[in-house]
Amino acid sequence: MAEETTYILVERADAVATVTINRPDKLNALNWALINELAGKLEALDRDDAIHCIVLTGAGDRAFAAGADIAEMSGASAAQMALGPFEGWDHIRRVRKPIIAAVEGYALGGGNELAMHADIIIASEKARFGQPEILLGIMAGAGGTQRLSRTLGKFRAMEILLTGDQFTAQQMEDWGVVNHVVPAGQALAEAQKLAAKIATRAPIAALLTKEAVLAAFETPLEAGLLHEKRLFAMLFSTDDQKEGMAAFIEKRQAHFTGK
Ligand code: CO8
């Protein structure tokens, strides 16, 4: 059942929610209202115990999102840009459940940065990625300089950010940003298939795994290892740990309850 709002559609299938940016006539360009609405929907799903994994995609086959809304941004002052639009992005960054981005078509500028807010990226062979901000006289502002550098290293990040060129899904897979390239039209279905698999895994363990992996980007190794150790120990207080290990020993399928 689809529940419709202004820009964001949410569909549920068992423990997987599919969140669709629904502004195809503008190639799903991300205006501020859209980002705030997206953040609100993702936060609600994050709080919803029935949902274990989220798929994020764009409506239509032309774009995941072609970037921040240039028309809206064009008249903004520095003060407006410094204060206004980042709150929604910060909320998206803090979603604790696993997010899989399904990219069909363009993921440019803020669209590529939004895909990189996800934890896994599935891209169609027709997808195109890039950070064209420099062609508009600006630079990436929603984490692009940091996430590309940390994921691809300095030199590839520089090429993407300094040229503003578009890169194929295959290039991005070779470079380690995209997990899997799939035939045109299949990105959403493949992402949903993967999400359904992850949704069967122990939910608390999934949340804490995401937290620990993201900590690797924010902490030195020593602190990251300590953080991981604490989260790991914490999982031994859950029913799912007892169930998962008992199921292995009893040679049966585990049934996780998220407790
Ligand atoms: N913003 C606003 N409208 C857009 C955007 C966009 N980013 N991208 C496409 N559109 C609109 C077009 O204006 C057009 O609208 P209309 O039909 O009303 O004229 C419609 O979508 C279809 O687009 P095109 O006709 O241009 O389609 P083409 O197939 O000819 O071209 C492209 C597709 C190559 C993707 C082209 O649309 C394009 O270059 N788009 C802009 C890409 C871009 O520069 N993106 C980066 C934007 S800047 C950014 O993302 C900064 C992020 C900062 C985040 C932090 C914020 C707080």
Coordinates of all heavy atoms in Angstrom, one line a residue, residues 37 78 81 110 116 121 152 155 170 212 231 247:
E37 N 11.1 16.4 4.2 CA 10.1 15.4 4.2 C 10.8 14.0 4.2 O 10.4 13.1 4.9 CB 9.2 15.5 3.0 CG 8.0 14.7 3.0 CD 7.2 14.8 1.7 OE1 7.2 15.8 1.1 OE2 6.5 13.8 1.4
A78 N 24.8 33.3 1.4 CA 25.7 32.4 2.2 C 25.1 32.1 3.5 O 25.2 31.0 4.0 CB 27.1 33.1 2.3
M81 N 22.4 29.5 3.3 CA 23.0 28.1 3.0 C 23.7 27.6 4.2 O 23.7 26.4 4.4 CB 24.0 28.2 1.8 CG 23.3 28.4 0.5 SD 21.9 27.4 0.2 CE 22.7 25.9 -0.4
G110 N 24.1 16.6 -5.1 CA 23.4 16.1 -3.9 C 22.8 14.7 -4.0 O 22.6 14.0 -3.1
M116 N 25.3 8.2 -1.2 CA 26.4 7.8 -0.3 C 25.9 7.9 1.2 O 26.7 7.5 2.0 CB 27.6 8.6 -0.6 CG 28.2 8.3 -1.9 SD 29.9 9.0 -2.1 CE 29.6 10.7 -2.1
I121 N 25.0 0.4 -2.2 CA 24.4 1.0 -3.4 C 24.3 0.0 -4.5 O 25.3 -0.6 -4.9 CB 25.3 2.2 -3.9 CG1 25.4 3.3 -2.8 CG2 24.7 2.9 -5.1 CD1 26.3 4.5 -3.1
L152 N 37.1 6.4 -1.8 CA 37.9 6.1 -3.0 C 39.3 6.5 -2.8 O 40.1 6.2 -3.7 CB 37.3 6.9 -4.1 CG 36.0 6.5 -4.8 CD1 34.8 6.9 -4.0 CD2 35.9 7.3 -6.1
F155 N 42.9 10.6 -4.8 CA 43.1 10.9 -6.2 C 41.9 10.8 -7.0 O 41.5 11.6 -7.9 CB 44.3 10.1 -6.7 CG 45.6 10.5 -6.0 CD1 46.1 9.8 -5.0 CD2 46.2 11.7 -6.4 CE1 47.2 10.2 -4.3 CE2 47.4 12.1 -5.7 CZ 47.9 11.3 -4.6
Q170 N 29.7 1.2 -13.8 CA 30.8 0.2 -13.8 C 32.0 0.8 -13.2 O 32.7 0.2 -12.4 CB 31.0 -0.3 -15.2 CG 32.0 -1.5 -15.3 CD 31.5 -2.7 -14.4 OE1 30.4 -3.2 -14.7 NE2 32.2 -3.1 -13.4
A212 N 28.9 0.5 14.1 CA 30.4 0.2 14.2 C 31.1 0.5 12.9 O 32.2 1.1 12.9 CB 30.6 -1.2 14.7
L231 N 30.0 -2.7 21.6 CA 28.8 -3.1 20.9 C 28.6 -4.6 20.8 O 27.6 -5.2 21.0 CB 28.7 -2.4 19.5 CG 28.7 -0.9 19.4 CD1 28.7 -0.4 18.0 CD2 27.4 -0.4 20.1
A247 N 20.0 -21.9 17.4 CA 19.6 -22.4 16.1 C 20.7 -23.1 15.4 O 20.6 -24.1 14.8 CB 19.0 -21.3 15.3

